[in-house]
Amino acid sequence: MQANTQTLPITLTPELDFDQNAASAFGESLTHEYTQATPFPHIVIDNFLQADVIASIREHFPVEPTNNEQIYERGYKGQLKRQISPNACSPYLKNVFNTFNSAPMLEFLEKLTGIQGLIPDPYFAGGGLHETKTGGFLGVHSDFRLNKKLNVERRLNVIIYLTEDWQEAYGGNLELWDVGMKKCLKKVLPIYNRCVIFNTDKDSNHGHPEPLTTPEGITRRSIALYYYTASGVGGEPGQRNKTHYKPRPKDRWSVKYYVNKLLKKKQ
């Protein structure tokens, strides 16, 4: 799989600095590739952050439990997964995530995707830092589309992988599936400093559904960032704030039964 290798213009000087004009030009240079991608608009960019920036993020990743973090033990809906709010992290990481929510980042994403008026989430609902242990996975799904606290529509996901020396044998591929959940059309290995950006429409089916086979002590770490617009969301109000999990053809019957049961409850 080929990926882009340009770098987001965030530098340590020693404070974080983000060049808005360079960010805008970077996004604009990749617009066609992003909008024409299948099965839904997306892009994969290697070496996304400058080496010293991502190294500093990796070094500050919280090893000990933080306040109010979430642990997922929900089977197909997420297993052996830890979700950490940046607002409970060190001052350095808070500053990093404030940078990801800043105007230069929004300008980069707007130029890249063609989606105007993007809004960051200062509360990082569902986002922040993610960590999945050996045997963990996340079923294929399309994301919730309404941020209830801000009352805005979710439009984009940005994922940046943080685990060094990731091996193909570990698994953990991000899978992108077709609308009908018949076929996986793309797999993205979560290698260090790789970024994946994609639209979060109702049929943006994605996940990493295969259990990790990492040695003990090696986890799948990532940054997850979500961006919104103020435009209204279609569909039933009770459905827009829910994540919709979807079984793959090869998933065992018990998983399909579980997911189908959830879907019927939502109808």
Side-chain angles (χ1 to χ4, degrees):
M1 183 199 70
Q2 292 184 342
N4 289 281
T5 57
Q6 297 184 69
T7 301
L8 197 69
I10 299 176
T11 57
L12 295 174
T13 59
E15 301 299 326
L16 286 171
D17 185 45
F18 201 165
D19 187 321
Q20 184 164 337
N21 290 333
S24 178
F26 182 22
E28 192 168 18
S29 71
L30 300 173
T31 302
H32 180 78
E33 182 175 348
Y34 183 92
T35 57
Q36 298 302 309
T38 57
F40 42 83
H42 74 276
I43 197 165
V44 178
I45 307 174
D46 283 343
N47 301 312
F48 183 65
L49 299 175
Q50 295 190 21
D52 56 351
V53 174
I54 192 165
S56 66
I57 296 171
R58 177 178 54 80
E59 289 165 4
H60 284 84
F61 195 101
V63 176
E64 299 299 324
T66 60
N67 293 332
N68 303 316
E69 65 181 48
Q70 295 188 47
I71 304 297
Y72 287 78
E73 301 285 351
R74 304 177 184 176
Y76 195 75
K77 296 176 69 176
Q79 189 71 12
L80 298 174
K81 176 185 174 182
R82 177 187 181 207
Q83 179 185 310
I84 306 161
S85 170
N87 296 323
C89 291
S90 67
Y92 177 78
L93 284 178
K94 290 177 183 176
N95 194 21
V96 167
F97 277 85
N98 286 338
T99 301
F100 287 136
N101 277 358
S102 68
M105 186 68 173
L106 300 180
E107 185 79 8
F108 161 70
L109 292 170
E110 289 180 354
K111 293 294 185 182
L112 172 69
T113 65
I115 300 172
Q116 299 301 308
L118 288 174
I119 300 169
D121 176 14
Y123 303 101
F124 300 102
L129 293 166
H130 291 179
E131 182 176 35
T132 305
K133 297 181 179 180
T134 304
F137 59 92
L138 178 62
V140 178
H141 61 281
S142 57
D143 288 307
F144 69 88
R145 299 178 62 210
L146 178 67
N147 183 311
K148 292 187 291 183
K149 189 175 185 68
L150 300 177
N151 196 30
V152 289
E153 179 184 0
R154 185 166 168 182
R155 303 299 299 278
L156 293 176
N157 282 7
V158 176
I159 303 172
I160 307 169
Y161 297 112
L162 299 175
T163 304
E164 285 190 299
D165 302 318
W166 191 269
Q167 306 296 312
E168 190 168 359
Y170 298 165
N173 284 288
L174 176 67
E175 298 186 2
L176 308 183
W177 281 72
D178 65 359
V179 172
M181 286 298 300
K182 301 297 184 183
K183 186 177 181 180
C184 174
L185 298 181
K186 192 166 189 175
K187 294 184 178 182
V188 182
L189 198 67
I191 65 173
Y192 182 65
N193 206 6
R194 171 171 283 174
C195 177
V196 186
I197 304 171
F198 57 93
N199 282 17
T200 52
D201 302 321
K202 65 182 180 66
D203 294 316
S204 297
N205 301 321
H206 65 282
H208 58 98
E210 296 296 332
L212 296 182
T213 57
T214 50
E216 286 297 327
I218 296 179
T219 57
R220 185 185 190 272
R221 292 179 170 181
S222 63
I223 291 168
L225 304 164
Y226 308 146
Y227 298 90
Y228 302 81
T229 61
S231 55
V233 185
E236 292 297 323
Q239 302 303 310
R240 298 177 302 186
N241 61 351
K242 298 181 183 294
T243 299
H244 296 269
Y245 290 88
K246 305 174 183 182
R248 301 168 295 167
K250 77 171 191 174
D251 286 325
R252 61 185 184 275
W253 72 268
S254 58
V255 172
K256 291 184 180 180
Y257 173 80
Y258 171 74
V259 175
N260 287 333
K261 186 176 180 181
L262 288 177
L263 291 174
K264 287 180 180 178
K265 289 175 66 176
K266 295 172 182 177
Q267 293 175 353

